[in-house]
Amino acid sequence: MKRKITLKHIARELGVSISTVSKALKNSEEIGRDTKEKIQAFAKLYNYKPNNIAISLKNKRTKNIGVIIPDIVHHFFTTVFRGIEKYANAKGYNVIVCVSDESFDKEVINMELLANGSIDGFIMALSAGTQLKNDYNHLKEVTAQGIPLVLFDRVTPEIKCDKVVIDDKKGAYNAVTTFIREGRKKIALITTKDYFSVSRDRAAGYREALLDNDLEINEDLILEFPSMEVDEKGIEEFFTNKKVDAVLSVNEIFAIHSMRFVQSLGIKIPEDISFIGFTDGLLSKYSTPGLTAVAQHGEDMGKIAAEMLIEKVESEEEEETYTTKVLEPTLIVRGSTGN
Amino acid sequence: MKRKITLKHIARELGVSISTVSKALKNSEEIGRDTKEKIQAFAKLYNYKPNNIAISLKNKRTKNIGVIIPDIVHHFFTTVFRGIEKYANAKGYNVIVCVSDESFDKEVINMELLANGSIDGFIMALSAGTQLKNDYNHLKEVTAQGIPLVLFDRVTPEIKCDKVVIDDKKGAYNAVTTFIREGRKKIALITTKDYFSVSRDRAAGYREALLDNDLEINEDLILEFPSMEVDEKGIEEFFTNKKVDAVLSVNEIFAIHSMRFVQSLGIKIPEDISFIGFTDGLLSKYSTPGLTAVAQHGEDMGKIAAEMLIEKVESEEEEETYTTKVLEPTLIVRGSTGN
DNA sequence: TTGTATGCGTTATCAA
DNA sequence: TTGATAACGCATACAA
């Protein structure tokens, strides 16, 4: 087993000093031609590569960025992650992922762990637990230490930092407008309590679109689940009792379940009822009929988040200017709408 | 902005030596009661946490594990990752992810980068590019340096290391047997060239099951795509020209597309044709009808991989014994089979 | 009981 | 042109 070779080894082997080796390998002008060649040849031969950890310690820069997301088996987050990873990698950064599992405690623990020197900055989406608890001290700690932070998708105004979100309100607004243009009148919303920031905005867009079109808001047509767990019973009950001709769902999974259930009742999509769901994921694409979806452009979001973070990480000045980028949602039209 | 505090700061502030502080914080018996209390109080007040990087350098242990996977927007890999992450985290390890993007070059670059001190060991699934090129020198390098490596799912006999796989052959065998028990005779296989290790095994299982049941292998019923890209045309052509009453697909996506197409032809599932697909993902669960699937138990696989890796990382002896764990596939029965 | 010295692998400053 | 030394933050063997 050939252990990794260090400057010291090379120096000893070649009878020169460590600093000479270091300089030679950086092609410093200070070092004589032949010593340089000798050292470089030797280094190449033994495949010398500087130790990242030592360099991190010296530079106080790890070239690692920490990503904390609520879940990894999740199409949207995974898409954002891809955007982050691609950009970060291209910039020479590695990505350390921690999954908060929607738990406040795990989010805190992971963050504190990584904050002790492992990473140069954070990119994260708040866990449900954190949003529920409304406690952001761990984030404040981190930013107070001068560690750059970028929040995406699930954000909070409590923390001053860069943010990337999509215009959830507009996404919902556009979806509802689409329904109305189709002549739908009884438009339902299936939403969830947990995802405060996004659900709130989406519900707001839903309401605003109805009002702007002189339709009244019927609270009976708003189905609110406590979490994103699928409540099969709740869905069945809703659709057996309520008469609706269009449904906006804040996520794919509620929409898919609903579609299946109404289809089992012999109701036709989109003839009798239209569906639009947030987050253009695999299910939307492959359901029958395809689910018209509000695309969140996760990969772009990830890329932008990484850009913002690395920008801050590498900038010398301690700017106190934070920006929030708002991406435009796009409606991907499929078979579940349009009659 | 309050920068992170170090032992040195505490020492200076309290007028003691660095080593005294270090010992006091480790509750060493050597240090006097009052000094210890004073130091501990001060440290708590300023929320002292040791710097991970410094400790890594000292211990030559990073407590990071590197995970290299071909794709992150992928249900199976993401599931494995969850298993890895959970276990690793519980053991105090962080996970650095790199995505090879199915490319040999990226796999090599990422691996070499991480191998220079950033991680204590690797868990990975080979990229398609690597399997195609059949070049494993980067893996050999790493293991030669004594860095533990665990391969999962997409493995190679070329490298001596721990491995975790499912019995792909058996999964396919069982699926085909299920078809035969249903009385199916014209059983097709949709497969792909790229994933050598898994596709080969699955195809072998398919063939063996046919032979064991005295059915002849009709090469016309084997549809082989060059990659996992969906070739809509190819699928349509196949199903318009061939008469089949059962289909085993090496992935969900081919199966889903095929189901949709045959349904559009008015063929009934499972009455006229049965489907089974590998990788029990979201699509299988939510397609209509649900796709009977060969579950790969990704999370277990990830957990086992992490266990094996951490075991090796933390063991003192340089054992040269490598084991391969083979997980049993499970058939998840849904609506696409059983007539 | 406390402190000094050394080392982990690297780089940078300064001296020779 | 080369090398000694200090420093990054921490831990520990050894002195005092």
Side-chain angles (χ1 to χ4, degrees):
Chain A
M1 187 184 81
K2 50 170 185 186
R3 272 251 147 263
K4 270 267 155 184
I5 197 175
T6 70
L7 291 184
K8 195 199 272 191
H9 295 132
I10 303 183
R12 201 188 307 135
E13 215 63 32
L14 263 44
V16 295
S17 79
I18 294 180
S19 46
T20 303
V21 177
S22 174
K23 287 170 188 161
L25 292 179
K26 304 195 94 77
N27 233 321
S28 161
E29 289 307 323
E30 299 181 26
I31 306 297
R33 178 179 245 85
D34 19 350
T35 358
K36 219 151 67 173
E37 279 173 0
K38 183 179 60 175
I39 292 174
Q40 292 177 348
F42 190 90
K44 199 157 300 159
L45 180 61
Y46 285 96
N47 192 30
Y48 169 80
K49 294 275 170 49
N51 179 307
N52 293 330
I53 298 292
I55 291 181
S56 294
L57 184 59
K58 186 112 245 293
N59 297 349
K60 300 177 153 236
R61 283 285 204 71
T62 62
K63 284 276 186 174
N64 286 156
I65 80 184
V67 172
I68 303 183
I69 51 180
D71 188 9
I72 184 74
V73 186
H74 186 296
H75 187 266
F76 174 66
F77 288 132
T78 243
T79 303
V80 175
F81 183 84
R82 178 196 265 165
I84 295 173
E85 211 263 352
K86 269 190 188 167
Y87 186 82
N89 238 291
K91 288 284 184 177
Y93 284 76
N94 279 119
V95 180
I96 299 185
V97 203
C98 286
V99 177
S100 65
D101 223 355
E102 300 287 10
S103 139
F104 171 79
D105 292 337
K106 282 198 195 171
E107 191 176 288
V108 172
I109 291 172
N110 283 321
M111 231 180 146
E112 289 185 342
L113 195 70
L114 293 185
N116 294 321
S118 299
I119 51 86
D120 295 338
F122 283 107
I123 296 179
M124 65 187 290
L126 297 169
S127 73
T130 303
Q131 295 201 122
L132 199 63
K133 200 164 179 193
N134 207 33
D135 179 348
Y136 305 104
N137 283 310
H138 52 305
L139 302 188
K140 283 176 189 151
E141 271 297 323
V142 157
T143 52
Q145 280 172 35
I147 301 179
L149 165 67
V150 177
L151 288 177
F152 73 88
D153 193 52
R154 308 221 207 132
V155 306
T156 172
E158 295 279 317
I159 299 292
K160 288 190 196 62
C161 68
D162 288 330
K163 291 161 197 167
V164 204
V165 293
I166 64 153
D167 192 337
D168 280 295
K169 186 173 167 186
K170 190 168 188 175
Y173 189 98
N174 290 347
V176 172
T177 308
T178 303
F179 286 144
I180 294 171
R181 262 197 246 105
E182 285 181 2
R184 312 287 178 176
K185 302 278 184 208
K186 287 160 299 191
I187 301 170
L189 172 69
I190 307 185
T191 184
T192 159
K193 270 196 164 114
D194 265 4
Y195 301 106
F196 291 124
S197 62
V198 302
S199 287
R200 216 185 299 122
D201 293 347
R202 290 171 192 175
Y206 165 82
R207 287 164 193 275
E208 194 169 304
L210 291 180
L211 293 178
D212 284 358
N213 288 279
D214 302 317
L215 288 175
E216 70 180 19
I217 294 165
N218 182 348
E219 298 293 338
D220 273 3
L221 295 188
I222 299 179
L223 176 58
E224 195 177 79
F225 290 114
S227 80
M228 85 161 221
E229 270 319 292
V230 177
D231 172 3
E232 204 101 31
K233 286 251 174 57
I235 287 176
E236 295 181 5
E237 199 181 297
F238 182 84
F239 284 101
T240 13
N241 297 323
K242 309 290 162 76
K243 292 222 105 188
V244 303
D245 56 13
V247 180
L248 172 63
S249 169
V250 296
N251 62 36
E252 279 194 319
I253 209 113
F254 291 164
I256 297 296
H257 273 280
S258 304
M259 283 170 63
R260 283 188 129 189
F261 181 68
V262 305
Q263 282 175 325
S264 78
L265 259 39
I267 299 173
K268 289 255 183 308
I269 306 171
E271 292 78 0
D272 308 326
I273 184 170
S274 271
F275 278 89
I276 296 181
F278 262 83
T279 305
D280 178 43
L282 275 188
L283 295 181
S284 305
K285 204 164 165 188
Y286 293 109
S287 61
T288 0
L291 175 62
T292 294
V294 183
Q296 290 185 275
H297 306 295
E299 193 160 340
D300 293 343
M301 196 180 260
K303 185 185 175 207
I304 291 169
E307 275 175 6
M308 292 173 106
L309 186 76
I310 291 175
E311 162 76 31
K312 279 280 197 302
V313 165
E314 296 187 343
S315 98
E316 301 297 318
E317 334 107 64
E318 287 183 30
E319 328 151 46
E320 281 285 321
T321 61
Y322 300 112
T323 64
T324 295
K325 293 226 172 155
V326 180
L327 306 188
E328 291 294 306
T330 311
L331 200 69
I332 311 288
V333 179
R334 299 207 176 82
S336 70
T337 52
N339 48 1
Chain B
M1 187 184 84
K2 50 170 184 182
R3 271 252 148 263
K4 271 267 155 184
I5 197 176
T6 69
L7 290 186
K8 195 198 277 189
H9 294 132
I10 303 184
R12 203 188 305 135
E13 214 63 31
L14 262 42
V16 294
S17 80
I18 294 179
S19 54
T20 304
V21 178
S22 174
K23 287 170 188 164
L25 292 179
K26 300 195 97 76
N27 233 321
S28 163
E29 289 309 323
E30 302 180 23
I31 307 297
R33 178 179 241 86
D34 20 348
T35 355
K36 220 151 70 172
E37 280 174 359
K38 186 178 62 174
I39 291 174
Q40 291 178 350
F42 190 91
K44 200 157 299 162
L45 181 63
Y46 286 96
N47 191 29
Y48 169 80
K49 294 275 170 49
N51 179 306
N52 294 331
I53 297 293
I55 291 181
S56 294
L57 185 58
K58 183 118 245 294
N59 298 347
K60 298 176 156 237
R61 282 286 205 73
T62 61
K63 284 271 183 180
N64 287 157
I65 80 185
V67 173
I68 303 182
I69 50 181
D71 189 8
I72 184 75
V73 187
H74 187 294
H75 186 265
F76 172 66
F77 288 132
T78 242
T79 302
V80 176
F81 183 83
R82 177 195 266 166
I84 295 173
E85 212 263 350
K86 270 190 188 165
Y87 185 82
N89 238 291
K91 287 284 185 178
Y93 285 75
N94 279 118
V95 180
I96 299 185
V97 203
C98 286
V99 178
S100 65
D101 224 354
E102 301 288 11
S103 138
F104 171 80
D105 292 338
K106 283 197 194 173
E107 192 176 286
V108 172
I109 291 171
N110 283 322
M111 233 182 144
E112 289 186 341
L113 195 68
L114 293 184
N116 295 321
S118 298
I119 48 88
D120 296 338
F122 283 107
I123 295 178
M124 66 188 288
L126 298 168
S127 74
T130 303
Q131 295 202 121
L132 199 62
K133 202 165 177 194
N134 207 33
D135 179 348
Y136 306 103
N137 283 309
H138 50 308
L139 303 189
K140 283 175 189 154
E141 271 297 324
V142 157
T143 52
Q145 280 170 36
I147 302 179
L149 164 66
V150 177
L151 289 178
F152 73 88
D153 192 54
R154 306 219 208 135
V155 306
T156 171
E158 295 278 316
I159 300 294
K160 288 190 195 62
C161 67
D162 288 331
K163 292 163 196 169
V164 203
V165 293
I166 63 153
D167 191 336
D168 279 296
K169 186 173 167 189
K170 190 170 188 175
Y173 189 98
N174 291 346
V176 172
T177 309
T178 303
F179 287 145
I180 294 172
R181 260 196 249 105
E182 286 182 2
R184 314 286 179 176
K185 303 278 184 206
K186 286 160 297 186
I187 302 170
L189 171 69
I190 308 186
T191 184
T192 157
K193 269 198 165 114
D194 266 5
Y195 300 106
F196 292 124
S197 61
V198 302
S199 287
R200 216 184 301 123
D201 292 347
R202 291 173 191 172
Y206 164 84
R207 287 165 193 272
E208 194 169 305
L210 289 180
L211 293 178
D212 283 359
N213 288 277
D214 303 318
L215 288 174
E216 69 179 19
I217 294 165
N218 182 348
E219 298 293 338
D220 274 3
L221 296 188
I222 299 179
L223 178 57
E224 193 176 81
F225 290 115
S227 80
M228 82 162 225
E229 271 318 294
V230 178
D231 172 3
E232 204 100 32
K233 285 252 174 58
I235 287 176
E236 297 182 4
E237 200 180 296
F238 183 83
F239 283 100
T240 13
N241 297 325
K242 310 288 161 80
K243 293 223 109 193
V244 303
D245 56 13
V247 181
L248 171 63
S249 169
V250 296
N251 64 33
E252 281 194 316
I253 210 111
F254 290 162
I256 296 296
H257 272 281
S258 304
M259 282 169 65
R260 284 189 126 187
F261 181 68
V262 303
Q263 281 174 325
S264 78
L265 257 37
I267 299 173
K268 292 254 180 308
I269 306 172
E271 291 79 359
D272 307 326
I273 184 170
S274 271
F275 278 88
I276 296 181
F278 262 84
T279 307
D280 177 43
L282 276 187
L283 295 180
S284 304
K285 203 165 167 186
Y286 293 110
S287 62
T288 359
L291 175 62
T292 295
V294 182
Q296 290 185 275
H297 306 295
E299 195 161 338
D300 293 342
M301 196 181 260
K303 187 188 174 208
I304 291 170
E307 275 174 6
M308 292 173 105
L309 186 74
I310 292 177
E311 161 75 29
K312 277 282 197 301
V313 165
E314 297 187 343
S315 97
E316 300 299 319
E317 334 107 65
E318 287 184 31
E319 327 150 46
E320 281 284 324
T321 61
Y322 301 111
T323 64
T324 295
K325 293 225 173 157
V326 181
L327 306 188
E328 291 295 303
T330 311
L331 200 68
I332 310 286
V333 178
R334 301 208 176 81
S336 69
T337 51
N339 47 359

